[in-house]
Amino acid sequence: AYGLAALPAELLRGQPSAAQQRQEVETNLSDIRLRSRSIQAKYSQDGIIDPSKMKQADRQKLSRLQQEQKALTQHNYKLQEQEARGRDCISSIMVLLVPFRFTIGAGMLVLSLLIGGSLLVTCADKLMNSTCGWQCGYTVSKRSMANPMDFVLTEASKMFPLDFVVLAAFVLHIFLSTLYGVVTLGIRFACISIYSLRAFATLPQAMLATVVVLAHILLAMCMALLTAAPNYTSFGPQVRLGDTGVEEHCSLEHPSD
């Protein structure tokens, strides 16, 4: 869920390059050094600083500035490494896709809304229109609410293999969003961070845990498709003649003629 919302938002918002971030970090470092020197200058005699004469407030402020300087220095080193790795093939391809960032982000946002809306509609339909309730797993014999993902896939199936292309786009979007969420948040258990994933600095145990998590997510995705697009995954584009002679999509109530 985090990846489905965060990845399109990240693409739409955009992100400054490593060089731009380094410039901002170096500016902040210069400002912190100036503020630290101004505090130290109050208690400097002949170039020697006497910490015992320093006020408690200034001592705390100086300690906080030193911590900020240390954190920014470490961040600057990481940005330098990213900038050095930015000359590889993958980074060059990503640079070429920058002009299409907004278009890709808007498309992924639409896919996320379709998936989330379809899951919500299906769950609401089961809760409101199931005749047997929890005893049969809230099964409904005929869908009473329009499902957007079902509609898109069913209409696309009329122009084979367009429905396979759309379905592949949905699956790829879910997988990429999940991967983005795992990389961003890391491996966690009960909101407790266990492993973090970093480029060229990930532990082997973290890689194994990531593979296991992604394998289980793919398994859950196969089951979630039955909820997101129940009619399409059950019957595909099959139709039947209704009682009035008009074609209608198959359902559990009337699976076929």
Side-chain angles (χ1 to χ4, degrees):
Y2 172 81
L4 289 174
L7 181 56
E10 181 70 20
L11 291 173
L12 290 173
R13 183 179 57 188
Q15 186 177 7
S17 63
Q20 293 173 337
Q21 294 182 57
R22 273 193 62 201
Q23 185 177 2
E24 182 179 356
V25 168
E26 289 174 355
T27 302
N28 293 335
L29 281 172
S30 300
D31 180 61
I32 289 175
R33 292 192 188 101
L34 288 175
R35 291 161 62 186
S36 299
R37 290 169 185 168
S38 65
I39 295 175
Q40 294 172 351
K42 297 179 183 179
Y43 309 95
S44 177
Q45 293 180 353
D46 299 329
I48 300 175
I49 301 174
D50 188 1
S52 61
K53 297 181 179 180
M54 191 176 296
K55 295 181 180 179
Q56 182 68 20
D58 288 337
R59 188 181 295 111
Q60 292 178 353
K61 187 175 181 180
L62 184 61
S63 177
R64 185 174 64 253
L65 289 174
Q66 290 174 348
Q67 291 177 359
E68 292 179 4
Q69 182 178 353
K70 183 179 179 181
L72 287 175
T73 302
Q74 293 177 352
H75 185 50
N76 194 22
Y77 288 148
K78 292 180 181 179
L79 291 175
Q80 289 178 358
E81 293 176 358
Q82 292 180 10
E83 195 173 358
R85 293 194 302 264
R87 302 182 182 90
D88 57 11
C89 180
I90 297 178
S91 299
S92 301
I93 295 175
M94 296 302 295
V95 170
L96 293 176
L97 293 177
V98 167
F100 308 101
R101 178 191 294 269
F102 185 83
T103 304
I104 297 173
M108 297 186 78
L109 179 61
V110 171
L111 291 178
S112 296
L113 292 175
L114 277 175
I115 294 171
S118 299
L119 291 173
L120 182 63
V121 167
T122 301
C123 291
D125 192 11
K126 288 183 176 183
L127 287 173
M128 297 174 61
N129 300 312
S130 178
T131 57
C132 51
W134 62 270
Q135 297 177 350
C136 62
Y138 293 95
T139 303
V140 290
S141 57
K142 188 175 182 180
R143 305 292 168 183
S144 302
M145 297 183 180
N147 187 310
M149 190 169 171
D150 241 345
F151 174 78
V152 171
L153 288 171
T154 303
E155 292 298 318
S157 64
K158 298 177 182 179
M159 295 177 285
F160 179 84
L162 183 59
D163 56 332
F164 288 171
V165 175
V166 176
L167 182 61
F170 278 116
V171 173
L172 183 62
H173 172 62
I174 295 174
F175 178 77
L176 291 178
S177 300
T178 302
L179 187 61
Y180 176 81
V182 171
V183 171
T184 303
L185 299 178
I187 305 299
R188 298 188 178 192
F189 177 75
C191 298
I192 300 174
S193 180
I194 301 176
Y195 297 114
S196 60
L197 304 177
R198 296 172 295 172
F200 303 100
T202 303
L203 295 174
Q205 298 90 332
M207 292 296 295
L208 290 174
T210 302
V211 170
V212 173
V213 169
L214 290 177
H216 283 83
I217 288 174
L218 289 174
L219 178 62
M221 188 192 307
C222 295
M223 303 303 298
L225 285 175
L226 295 172
T227 304
N231 282 346
Y232 177 81
T233 52
S234 299
F235 303 103
Q238 298 181 72
V239 295
R240 61 177 294 274
L241 288 176
D243 298 334
T244 59
V246 180
E247 287 187 349
E248 59 183 27
H249 293 289
C250 294
S251 62
L252 293 177
E253 185 180 12
H254 300 291
S256 61
D257 288 334

